[in-house]
Amino acid sequence: MIGLDRARISIKKINIPPEQLKFNILNKFSIRGDIKTSNGEKIYIGDHEGIDKVFKFINFIKIGLKNQLCSIEIEFNYAKYYRNTNFELMKTQKEKEDVDLSILIILSEITEIDISKMTYEYSFLEVAEQLEIKRFTDYTNVIYLIYRALHLNKDLKKSGKVFYDYSSTLDRFFTTGFVFSFKDGLTLETYNKSLENNEKTLDESDKVTKSSMRNEFKFTKTTLKNIFGSSAVESLKLNVLREQISERIGLSIKNAVIEQLKKNQLEIEKRLDSLDSLTPRNIQLFVTENNEWILDYDWFNCILKNKLLGKKSERMIFRYQKMAKEKLIALEKSNSPKRSNTKNIKKLEQYLKILFGVKIEIELTKDGEIQIF
């Protein structure tokens, strides 16, 4: 179930002197400062020393000046309205409405506009979902597959990056996530939320021991209007966001993943065909050199069986598969970046279902065929 994290709400064309607007902001949050202001000035709230804890969920308020009129943008965190951190997302419509009302009351007091007469909308919204996992590095192959599927799809791609870190204990790199920008301006970020939370959190009681992967969609006002038909705060209810993300975004990502799985299969088949001969030794070398194209050992052994049927006996095919499996499992202890070659089909199905709301089924047949539904 998706939830909300960071958001910005804006109000345009406010007929109030900028000095009065800034005075109202400083006064509301008991902050000392010069009332003189300039276009684009940000007044930070939540991190301000001595700020009332009820306002900790507000990051900043930005003042805009244009054609003798003011505008205001307030950035806040839905999840932090209830907790010290944003590790747990805000997931109910009732909670959303409570936070929205609190923000609107603050904006009404600052701008001196009655709530009933205010015109306000999201200028930015983060919609996210979290998947509790055993280890983030267990999903390295899945993350690579998702990223490659998005990056190589000409209908989706704009730009993106994969992120890594280094463990001095293991003397190996490991993947921490990726960020991807779609052509329409939407941004998707997948990252290790537990790692991020524990690095930012100073209070030991707010640190977490469980490992969680977060998928975060970052919507601008334009992408909200394009995908949901509106950027209005009241119209963007959680059930609408869930439904449209699954139908409009999740299905596009699912189709890209299916296409990439087929490309990876064809690539592995082509590389197997290029071998002079298939022997137990060169199969081990093959999986070592081509691990980045291999989802997991079950997936590879299905392709391998298809190639060996009619050429080798069932006993020899089993031997080849056993050696490929053993080598791929052994590589988990030495590969850098760290990765798992085990049960990634199930992880991929789980990833897409929980984080994107779409169902995919991958069936490996006894005849060496890979069927995707």
Side-chain angles (χ1 to χ4, degrees):
M1 182 183 292
I2 67 165
L4 301 180
D5 194 4
R6 194 162 48 108
R8 295 184 204 130
I9 291 177
S10 61
I11 302 176
K12 308 285 187 182
K13 298 180 180 180
I14 308 168
N15 190 15
I16 185 175
E19 290 78 13
Q20 182 63 48
L21 181 60
K22 184 174 180 182
F23 172 81
N24 291 349
I25 296 170
L26 298 178
N27 186 57
K28 171 65 182 176
F29 300 104
S30 302
I31 298 173
R32 294 182 179 180
D34 191 340
I35 64 170
K36 290 183 179 180
T37 187
S38 58
N39 184 42
E41 180 182 5
K42 289 182 180 179
I43 302 168
Y44 291 90
I45 308 297
D47 291 335
H48 198 279
E49 188 177 352
I51 198 75
D52 192 314
K53 65 179 182 180
V54 299
F55 299 129
K56 287 285 187 180
F57 75 106
I58 301 173
N59 296 332
F60 63 78
I61 296 176
K62 181 179 176 181
I63 296 174
L65 305 172
K66 185 177 181 180
N67 299 329
Q68 307 294 312
L69 293 173
C70 294
S71 65
I72 194 168
E73 183 179 58
I74 183 168
E75 182 179 285
F76 60 97
N77 193 291
Y78 276 105
K80 287 185 179 180
Y81 185 81
Y82 300 97
R83 305 168 189 87
N84 292 332
T85 74
N86 68 337
F87 184 78
E88 300 290 341
L89 294 165
M90 195 221 71
K91 292 194 170 187
T92 72
Q93 182 62 29
K94 176 62 168 62
E95 288 177 329
K96 178 184 185 301
E97 290 171 0
D98 289 344
V99 179
D100 290 344
L101 180 59
S102 295
I103 289 294
L104 296 181
I105 290 172
I106 290 170
L107 289 173
S108 177
E109 293 174 353
I110 291 171
T111 61
E112 301 179 10
I113 302 173
D114 188 271
I115 289 179
S116 62
K117 297 179 181 179
M118 287 173 59
T119 302
Y120 51 92
E121 62 184 345
Y122 287 118
S123 53
F124 175 85
L125 181 65
E126 282 181 347
V127 183
E129 181 54 284
Q130 228 155 270
L131 174 63
E132 193 168 327
I133 56 181
K134 188 175 180 180
R135 286 181 298 270
F136 193 86
T137 52
D138 287 347
Y139 281 76
T140 297
N141 283 8
V142 173
I143 287 173
Y144 285 174
L145 174 68
I146 299 288
Y147 183 81
R148 180 177 274 154
L150 296 175
H151 192 78
L152 296 179
N153 190 296
K154 61 183 181 181
D155 295 326
L156 299 176
K157 181 200 171 185
K158 182 182 177 184
S159 62
K161 290 180 181 179
V162 178
F163 300 110
Y164 301 90
D165 206 336
Y166 172 76
S167 168
S168 56
T169 304
L170 299 174
D171 192 22
R172 293 160 73 185
F173 288 93
F174 57 93
T175 309
T176 59
F178 71 83
V179 62
F180 184 86
S181 296
F182 294 81
K183 279 184 176 180
D184 61 4
L186 172 66
T187 298
L188 166 66
E189 186 170 1
T190 294
Y191 62 98
N192 188 332
K193 183 59 184 177
S194 300
L195 179 66
E196 187 241 29
N197 179 82
N198 293 346
E199 286 180 347
K200 287 185 176 181
T201 303
L202 299 177
D203 193 329
E204 288 297 320
S205 64
D206 290 326
K207 294 185 183 295
V208 296
T209 54
K210 60 184 179 181
S211 185
S212 290
M213 175 189 293
R214 177 173 286 190
N215 249 25
E216 216 164 62
F217 288 106
K218 302 176 190 295
F219 296 95
T220 62
K221 181 173 70 173
T222 301
T223 53
L224 285 171
K225 288 181 176 179
N226 289 341
I227 295 172
F228 305 105
S230 174
S231 59
V233 175
E234 291 181 342
S235 67
L236 290 175
K237 301 184 186 301
L238 278 170
N239 63 329
V240 173
L241 295 171
R242 291 187 187 108
E243 183 179 307
Q244 291 299 309
I245 285 175
S246 178
E247 291 183 2
R248 301 276 308 267
I249 304 170
L251 286 177
S252 294
I253 292 173
K254 174 185 174 179
N255 291 335
V257 168
I258 292 174
E259 182 183 348
Q260 190 58 47
L261 279 168
K262 292 177 179 178
K263 286 180 180 177
N264 285 11
Q265 180 180 347
L266 289 172
E267 185 64 30
I268 287 294
E269 290 172 345
K270 183 178 74 174
R271 294 186 183 202
L272 282 171
D273 288 338
S274 70
L275 296 176
D276 293 333
S277 62
L278 287 173
T279 67
R281 175 168 173 75
N282 68 15
I283 283 297
Q284 288 186 319
L285 290 172
F286 182 88
V287 297
T288 302
E289 294 173 354
N290 295 283
N291 198 170
E292 69 171 291
W293 294 95
I294 297 172
L295 181 58
D296 64 15
Y297 60 72
D298 288 324
W299 183 84
F300 174 75
N301 276 341
C302 188
I303 297 172
L304 182 61
K305 183 173 185 177
N306 185 272
K307 286 293 178 185
L308 294 176
L309 279 174
K311 300 176 182 177
K312 303 286 182 182
S313 67
E314 285 290 336
R315 185 178 65 83
M316 286 302 296
I317 291 174
F318 177 78
R319 183 186 174 199
Y320 279 59
Q321 289 178 318
K322 183 173 181 290
M323 297 195 75
K325 176 180 176 178
E326 289 174 349
K327 187 61 179 179
L328 285 167
I329 291 174
L331 287 171
E332 295 177 355
K333 299 177 181 179
S334 60
N335 263 334
S336 184
K338 194 176 187 310
R339 68 172 76 203
S340 168
N341 292 313
T342 306
K343 300 188 183 303
N344 288 329
I345 290 176
K346 183 178 180 180
K347 292 169 192 168
L348 175 62
E349 292 172 345
Q350 183 185 41
Y351 179 99
L352 291 173
K353 181 180 179 180
I354 294 178
L355 299 183
F356 294 106
V358 292
K359 185 178 181 181
I360 187 172
E361 291 183 14
I362 302 171
E363 185 178 328
L364 308 179
T365 72
K366 293 180 180 180
D367 297 328
E369 293 183 6
I370 300 175
Q371 298 178 346
I372 307 174
F373 307 96

